[in-house]
């Protein structure tokens, strides 16, 4: 019998779109470990094969029929599939809009048709644009400055429109900078993975922006997974929730933590003049805390575990460090 509960229970069939990717893979593993039934919908299968206990639905979310098939019998959806890269969105904004915004509208329609009980859309903290205040609360103005942020915001609006028009019970999650094992060095723009991959290979570490001023809310993927589950179970319909730690770490601070974890100082090559993304991007997680979520993995412990997971010579990042927009170089 299909679950009639908003929160996840033993009768739930949970669809994880993007479950073959970094964040979706960790979420799928956590849901399976908690005993839930999970269907992964992705354009490509998980790199290590479909995890035991999960179903895999090969699905391009831009294709209406494929999305409808993936949603059959589903009670809950975590929607993570799409393009996670700002850099790639600048290179190919039409593709970015298609896989982030159009695909989400498709999924909302399929979710309504399948009478899905509840959906959490994984947006991004990038929708706020350059912060006017730090930490950034959910009521901060939404001012995207790259195509990625515009497509994520458009997708959010599609979800909220489906909620008000068709009664879809949905919430939005806005993760800040995630890190953890399993990131794809070809698509990940996060500084933790990139800095570590260069440093562990004894290569210089390119740092874009003023490292004393540029700060991020580095969030371990396992904490982000716990946050998504809290939002699914207890989040309000139509509400957005920042997913972060609330802790601010400058790039200088990150380099020091990497030195402490590896026993040697990274050879940072600072290029403060070629980017204007030197701002403080830190989440106010008061709303998430009110759901009972507490981040549990400090950046020091998270980086120590990343060093172990990556090993001595991990694959180096291939995504360009800097892209140029309207004549202005920006970091990814
Ligand atoms: N990684 C971060 O730091 C971060 C931060 C904020 C938000 N997010 C969001 O989290 C989500 C997951 O990010 P990630 O880092 O795991 O990226 P990822 O690239 O590892 O995973 C994305 C997955 O989506 C799949 N996909 C792409 N287009 C598809 C399509 N048309 N149909 C079906 N599947 C498709 C890919 O095959 C991939 O497995 C994204 O929505 C991203 O915007 C990530």
């Amino acid at each position: 019998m299909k679950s009639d509960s908003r929160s996840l229970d033993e009768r739930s069939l949970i669809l994880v779109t993007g479950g073959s990717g970094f964040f979706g893979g960790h979420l799928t593993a956590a849901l399976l470990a908690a005993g839930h039934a999970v269907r992964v919908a992705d354009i490509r299968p998980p790199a290590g094969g479909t995890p035991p206990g999960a179903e895999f639905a090969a699905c391009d979310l831009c294709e209406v029929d494929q999305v409808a098939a993936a949603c059959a019998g589903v009670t809950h959806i975590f929607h993570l599939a799409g393009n996670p890269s700002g850099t790639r969105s600048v290179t190919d904004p039409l593709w970015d809009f298609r896989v982030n915004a159009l695909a989400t509208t498709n999924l909302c329609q399929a979710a309504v048709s399948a009478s899905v009980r509840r959906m959490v859309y994984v947006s991004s903290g990038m929708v706020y644009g350059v912060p006017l205040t730090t930490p950034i609360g959910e009521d901060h103005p939404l001012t995207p400055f790259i195509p990625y942020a515009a497509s994520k915001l458009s997708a959010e609006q599609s979800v909220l429109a489906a909620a008000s028009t068709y009664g879809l019970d949905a919430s939005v999650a806005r993760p800040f900078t995630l890190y953890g094992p399993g990131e794809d060095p070809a698509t990940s723009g996060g500084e933790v993975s990139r800095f570590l991959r260069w440093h562990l290979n004894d290569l210089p570490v390119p740092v874009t922006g003023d490292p004393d001023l540029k700060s991020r809310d580095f969030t371990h993927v396992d904490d982000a997974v716990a946050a998504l589950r809290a939002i699914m179970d207890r989040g309000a319909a139509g509400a957005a929730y920042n997913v972060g730690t609330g802790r601010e770490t400058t790039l200088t601070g990150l380099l020091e933590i990497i030195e402490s974890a590896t026993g040697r100082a990274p050879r940072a090559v600072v290029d403060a003049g070629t980017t204007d993304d030197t701002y403080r991007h830190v989440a106010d997680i008061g709303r998430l805390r009110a759901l009972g979520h507490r981040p549990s993995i400090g950046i020091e412990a998270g980086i120590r575990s990343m060093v172990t997971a990556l090993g001595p010579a991990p694959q180096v990042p291939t995504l360009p460090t800097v892209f140029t927009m309207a004549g202005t170089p920006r970091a990814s």
Side-chain angles (χ1 to χ4, degrees):
M1 191 172 66
K2 195 166 167 173
S3 168
D4 58 1
S5 171
R6 270 189 103 234
S7 52
L8 302 176
D9 64 24
E10 68 283 353
R11 289 179 297 161
S12 308
L13 173 56
I14 306 163
L15 186 72
V16 178
T17 78
S20 302
F22 160 58
F23 193 4
H26 283 272
L27 175 62
T28 298
L31 293 171
L32 289 170
H36 292 298
V38 180
R39 180 182 296 158
V40 168
D42 203 296
I43 204 164
R44 55 173 177 141
T50 305
E55 299 172 32
F56 177 67
C59 170
D60 181 348
L61 289 179
C62 298
E63 299 297 329
V64 173
D65 294 349
Q66 294 179 29
V67 183
C71 287
V74 162
T75 59
H76 296 76
I77 299 177
F78 289 101
H79 174 34
L80 292 83
N83 169 41
S85 163
T87 303
R88 292 175 81 198
S89 82
V90 172
T91 311
D92 195 347
L94 295 183
W95 167 76
D96 171 76
F97 196 82
R98 202 171 136 73
V99 299
N100 284 351
L102 172 75
T104 300
T105 306
N106 277 347
L107 183 64
C108 289
Q109 290 303 304
V112 170
S113 297
S115 302
V116 164
R117 302 289 310 167
R118 186 144 163 72
M119 173 166 154
V120 171
Y121 171 56
V122 178
S123 177
S124 166
M126 288 297 288
V127 295
Y128 298 113
V130 176
L132 304 175
T133 52
T134 303
I136 308 169
E138 289 85 352
D139 294 330
H140 184 282
L142 301 168
T143 51
F145 64 81
I146 50 173
Y148 168 72
S151 67
K152 297 298 278 186
L153 182 56
S154 180
E156 281 192 15
Q157 296 297 321
S158 277
V159 172
L160 298 180
S164 61
T165 309
Y166 310 109
L168 181 67
D169 184 345
S171 305
V172 168
R174 294 178 181 150
F176 282 58
T177 311
L178 305 184
Y179 71 94
E183 283 174 275
D184 182 349
T187 58
S188 169
E191 283 89 356
V192 170
S193 164
R194 292 165 73 80
F195 284 14
L196 276 173
R197 285 172 185 276
W198 282 310
H199 178 58
L200 290 169
N201 281 288
D202 206 19
L203 293 168
V205 175
V207 178
T208 51
D210 186 329
D212 293 330
L213 300 178
K214 181 171 168 177
S215 64
R216 298 292 181 256
D217 186 343
F218 297 112
T219 305
H220 194 277
V221 65
D222 289 346
D223 274 334
V225 163
L228 292 193
R229 294 174 67 187
I231 294 167
M232 177 65 87
D233 283 345
R234 298 182 290 284
Y241 295 86
N242 287 339
V243 171
T245 68
R247 176 173 163 188
E248 178 171 19
T249 303
T250 64
L251 296 191
T252 298
L254 176 61
L255 291 163
E256 288 167 359
I257 294 167
I258 290 174
E259 176 177 356
S260 162
T262 60
R264 61 195 160 87
R267 287 184 288 139
V269 180
V270 176
D271 191 353
T274 62
T275 179
D276 59 358
D277 81 333
T278 298
Y279 50 75
R280 302 166 68 200
H281 200 248
V282 183
D284 177 338
I285 60 163
R287 219 181 255 187
L288 185 61
R289 282 182 173 278
L291 299 182
H293 174 79
R294 299 286 179 275
S296 64
I297 305 172
I299 180 86
E300 294 82 3
I303 287 190
R304 281 196 301 273
S305 71
M306 280 284 283
V307 170
T308 306
L310 287 170
Q315 194 181 331
V316 293
T318 51
L319 193 71
T321 305
V322 174
F323 57 81
T324 300
M325 186 169 64
T328 307
R330 293 180 185 268
S332 54

